[in-house]
Amino acid sequence: MDMYSRLCFMLTLFILESVPLVLGSDTVPGKVSNLKTTLVTSSAIGLSWTASTSNIPFTNYVIFIIKEGKCTQADYIRCSRNHTLYTNGHCTDTYAGATATFAACHGDMSYNVTAKLTSYTDYVVAVAAAYEATVGENSTLTAKTQIGIPAPPTNIRLTAQNQSAILVEWDIPLHNAGPTWYNVTVLGAINRTSSIAIVQREYKVEGWKSSSYEVTDLLSSWRYMVSITASTNAGTSDRTTSQHVRTLPSAPGAVQNIHVKFVPSQYLAARLIWECPAEKMRNGRITSYTIIYTGNGSMTMTAGSYYPEDPCTTPHTAYLPVIPDGQYTVQVWANAEFQGNKSTMIFVADRNKMSYMPSVSNITVSTADPHSLIIVSSTCGSIIAMLFVAVIALVITRSRGVSQEKRLYMDR
């Protein structure tokens, strides 16, 4: 190799950040020819080349793998009985290929580079013949590995943004295996208190560098989990699943099926019955109920005391003192972290029907529709009778547990 060629070779090695030429020998092998790829996959590059026609002897081939300007590995092939191993101080790793025969080394060669290659990555591959530690001139080519199956995202974090939204964040895979998208699967609890979750919806988030997504239109005060996979056209990663998070609470929905049953044995009492708001409308931990009823007087009462929340397994019952022929408006709502929506009804303490009617069924109204109030039929009563019965009502209801503060007792 003349001085000009040697300087060009050293400059090429410097640009590639390969091992510099080891000087001190006048025996520099010739340059290989016809270097080309025979296959490229997501983790391998197949090479072929033809030995130099130079008469300069050589004992090894060295294959340099350069990634992002840095020599990441050097593979070598021994071509004779010389047992001197080639090492490259500028490459991260060194790998030994199979020993080739003299005839193979001096003819058409092939070799597959597989160690530590990553998918969807640009590489510069340099091949040179070597004599002992003296490396000949490189022949180079560029190759890009194919799209691979990505690693899964990690460290999924969920943050409740408000009553109906969750922010999902994750750490992206360290290696870009190709054009990537993320499959975000939202799992919701099967009921308010269950730790078992089922798939409810899925989202596709484009881009390898994407690392967050906001999920909206969720139930208030409900438990959710999220699982995520990363996908390319080559396949899908393993699944990573988060811990659960609960959305923030909001005002509970209206109580259901509110109605009155008159008690034949208690002439001056009416039994108010209602049920919890629908499970997916409780929107929080219901701990009590408020009842306001007005007519011949006004009273506000609190029903129930539940910890941590009302299980809502049976209807709720409260007894209201009434005066015959009095018309009453009753409002009931659930108390959680917020005051619930009100359900309202109107009824008349009809003295004729109170004595024999076992119930007035399914009187249900909501403040959302004031025109749907149902009024039980009434008859006229004398003012004197109403005052007299009012006194008796107060005595009876007080003896049945209504405190001086007029708080309601409740049986379930």
Side-chain angles (χ1 to χ4, degrees), residues 146-258:
Q146 293 183 350
I147 295 171
I149 299 175
T154 56
N155 190 28
I156 302 177
R157 289 99 60 198
L158 304 183
T159 304
Q161 298 288 85
N162 51 46
Q163 295 86 351
S164 61
I166 292 173
L167 177 64
V168 184
E169 299 175 284
W170 61 89
D171 293 344
I172 66 174
L174 295 178
H175 171 64
N176 180 9
T180 302
W181 66 90
Y182 298 96
N183 309 292
V184 179
T185 303
V186 179
L187 303 95
I190 59 175
N191 56 53
R192 262 195 55 78
T193 58
S194 176
S195 59
I196 300 174
I198 58 175
V199 174
Q200 293 193 344
R201 62 186 81 172
E202 293 184 343
Y203 302 93
K204 183 178 181 180
V205 182
E206 297 281 1
W208 170 58
K209 291 186 177 181
S210 299
S211 60
S212 65
Y213 188 80
E214 186 177 56
V215 181
T216 58
D217 296 326
L218 302 176
L219 298 175
S220 296
S221 189
W222 203 268
R223 290 163 59 106
Y224 290 96
M225 301 171 65
V226 171
S227 67
I228 305 178
T229 59
S231 295
T232 64
N233 290 335
T236 299
S237 72
D238 292 334
R239 185 175 299 277
T240 304
T241 303
S242 72
Q243 299 294 321
H244 77 270
V245 71
R246 188 182 290 272
T247 50
L248 299 183
S250 61
V255 300
Q256 303 180 98
N257 299 327
I258 176 173

Side-chain angles (χ1 to χ4, degrees), residues 359-370:
S359 67
V360 178
S361 60
N362 296 326
I363 301 178
T364 306
V365 296
S366 171
T367 53
D369 184 11

Side-chain angles (χ1 to χ4, degrees), residues 274-277 282 289 306 309-316 412:
W274 71 94
E275 296 178 4
C276 284
R282 292 175 199 167
Y289 298 86
Y306 304 98
E309 62 182 294
D310 183 1
C312 295
T313 54
T314 59
H316 302 73
R412 298 288 307 269

Side-chain angles (χ1 to χ4, degrees), residues 12 46 74-75 233 284 293 298 311 352 385 388 391:
T12 301
D75 294 13
N233 290 335
Y293 81 114
S298 177
N352 294 325
F388 177 74
V391 174

Side-chain angles (χ1 to χ4, degrees), residues 333-407:
W333 66 85
N335 299 308
E337 288 87 341
F338 297 91
Q339 177 179 298
N341 297 319
K342 297 176 181 177
S343 288
T344 305
M345 69 170 295
I346 295 176
F347 71 95
V348 174
D350 189 329
R351 71 175 65 204
N352 294 325
K353 295 184 178 181
M354 285 176 65
S355 61
Y356 65 88
M357 286 188 63
S359 67
V360 178
S361 60
N362 296 326
I363 301 178
T364 306
V365 296
S366 171
T367 53
D369 184 11
H371 299 292
S372 66
L373 297 180
I374 300 176
I375 302 177
V376 181
S377 62
S378 62
T379 59
C380 295
S382 67
I383 297 176
I384 297 176
M386 289 174 62
L387 294 176
F388 177 74
V389 172
V391 174
I392 300 176
L394 292 176
V395 173
I396 292 177
T397 54
R398 179 171 299 172
S399 65
R400 288 186 172 273
V402 177
S403 66
Q404 293 181 354
E405 293 76 18
K406 296 183 178 180
R407 293 182 62 86

